[in-house]
Each structure stands twice: as C-alpha cells, then as structure tokens.
Amino acid sequence: MNGFFITGTDTGVGKTLVSAGLIHKLVASGWRVAGMKPVATGCKWKGGVLRSEDADLLIAEANVKAPYDWVNPYAYEPPIAPNIAAKQLRSYISLAHIADCKARLLQMADMVVVEGVGGFRVPLNDDQDAAHMALMLGLPVILVVGLRLGCLNHALMSAEAIQMRGLKLSGWIGNRIDPGMTHMEPNLDTLRRRLTVPCLGVVPLVVPALPEQIAPFLEINSVFQNTVT
C-alpha cells in the first residue's frame, strides 16, 4: 500500500479537508507523505501561475515537497466540470500523465494521498471520468460522505460504483457539512448498517475547519486494517 484515493459523494462535501487531515495524521505518525490533486477547477492566478487552493492545502500539510505540477498536473480557472473546462481551453486530461506524476511523487514519499475531483463519476474527457483515474492509480479508496439531506442515496450509489469497478473501498468518513440537518444520528446509523465497509470517522462541524482539528477524528488504524485484509 502506497497511498489512498479520496473521493466524495458530490462536490463540496469536504474531500480536501479530509485529505489534508489524513496527511496531517500520517505525517504525525512518522510517514513521508505527499499530497496530490490531479485535476482542479476554479483555480486562481498566483505569481503568474494557476494554482488550486485545494492543492496548496495538501502541500502545506505534506512533509514531502515536490514540484507543483506533479501535485496538480491539471489546473483550470473556470469553476466548472473538468471535461468542460479542458475542452474550452483546448486541453486534454491524460490519465497516463497523472499516473506518471504519482509515480514521481512515490519516488520521494512513502505514501501519496490523492484527492479526486467532484464525485466519483465526474467526466474528465470525452471517454474517461474520475472512476477511470482511480483505477489507473490503483489506490484503495476512501469515500467522504457529505452529511446532508440526500446523503444516504448518494453514499450507497457511490460505494456501489466504487466496488463494481473492482476497487478496494477501505472505508467511509462522514463530514457534517449542513448545520441544519435533522436526524443526524439515524442517518449515521443507516450508513453504518448499509455500507459494507467501516466508518473511519465522523468529522464535526468546526469553524474554522483546519486539518489539525479534524485529524483526531480520523481512524488511521482502521484504514490500514481494512486495506490489508
């Protein structure tokens, strides 16, 4: 095992925060860890270079420092689906190039925590989506479930899609993103019963949400146990 692929039930469910928190905890446990955000949209210009705020957060938590374009090979300014952004800019998202960047990072690190883009089936080009990227990278998957109305359906469908692709789903993490969500515990109980993999933590709603604050709620030991069995 040389890392994890972090996907989510949708966009805006906290994949970046969970990924950064996981990196923070792995670093504290003595691992050499690199973060990776292969595809990002909604990027901003900094010093004449397009950069992803998500990628920058992963970089800040990692203890392996690598060239930015290895961490974030594809950065697009429009805050839209990556396949549409790439087509508008006459760019092409190559999974082979993403896999090559991951291999370069692993020459420097024990582990690479890769954050996906959007949900599990977000299109990347005319023929491939984020599921193809996860398969290409060959990493066990952790599903971030945004805890809000509709999360049960999204979580069950996402988990089914991950497992039907033959990927190893190591577990799921609940993230409390909606302060007004009612019946939180019954929803969590339903997820624990229906999902066939362990719950690796439930992240509370904290402001500001910082990786070091949510890291204690992530169960690293459970992740490793379920990955190697």
Side-chain angles (χ1 to χ4, degrees):
M1 185 188 62
N2 52 28
F4 298 97
F5 184 88
I6 313 299
T7 191
T9 48
D10 200 350
T11 190
V13 296
K15 294 188 306 296
T16 302
L17 179 63
V18 168
S19 297
L22 182 58
I23 292 172
H24 183 92
K25 194 151 192 174
L26 289 169
V27 168
S29 298
W31 296 90
R32 294 179 304 150
V33 188
M36 188 178 185
K37 175 77 175 180
V39 181
T41 61
C43 299
K44 298 178 181 178
W45 291 98
K46 295 181 181 179
V49 178
L50 267 178
R51 295 183 70 105
S52 160
E53 292 181 352
D54 293 350
D56 281 337
L57 182 58
L58 303 186
I59 289 169
E61 294 300 322
N63 59 353
V64 170
K65 305 306 177 185
Y68 180 82
D69 56 0
W70 294 6
V71 175
N72 179 210
Y74 295 100
Y76 300 106
E77 187 174 12
I80 55 179
N83 66 314
I84 299 173
K87 185 168 288 189
Q88 283 184 352
L89 297 169
R90 298 183 180 180
S91 172
Y92 179 80
I93 297 173
S94 165
L95 299 189
H97 178 59
I98 290 171
D100 181 62
C101 290
K102 176 219 170 190
R104 295 182 187 185
L105 291 171
L106 278 176
Q107 293 177 352
M108 307 169 66
D110 303 315
M111 286 194 182
V112 178
V113 175
V114 181
E115 181 196 345
V117 56
F120 185 64
R121 293 296 312 275
V122 168
L124 300 179
N125 53 47
D126 287 343
D127 305 305
Q128 297 168 313
D129 57 27
H132 292 96
M133 178 166 64
L135 282 167
M136 173 71 77
L137 297 178
L139 297 172
V141 179
I142 295 174
L143 174 65
V144 179
V145 179
L147 297 173
R148 61 188 176 197
L149 185 63
C151 68
L152 299 181
N153 179 62
H154 290 164
L156 295 172
M157 290 181 65
S158 297
E160 184 179 87
I162 292 164
Q163 292 170 319
M164 286 182 65
R165 291 296 182 108
L167 288 160
K168 174 68 175 181
L169 180 58
S170 289
W172 63 277
I173 295 169
N175 186 27
R176 297 177 186 257
I177 58 175
D178 180 5
M181 182 182 183
T182 61
H183 303 88
M184 179 69 72
E185 291 308 318
N187 275 273
L188 286 169
D189 289 342
T190 301
L191 289 170
R192 291 188 178 103
R193 289 197 310 271
R194 295 294 186 95
L195 293 173
T196 59
V197 294
C199 175
L200 305 175
V202 177
V203 178
L205 187 65
V206 292
V207 180
L210 301 174
E212 60 267 28
Q213 289 180 298
I214 68 108
F217 297 94
L218 307 180
E219 299 291 340
I220 283 186
N221 290 336
S222 298
V223 173
F224 287 127
Q225 289 168 5
N226 194 45
T227 299
V228 299
T229 56

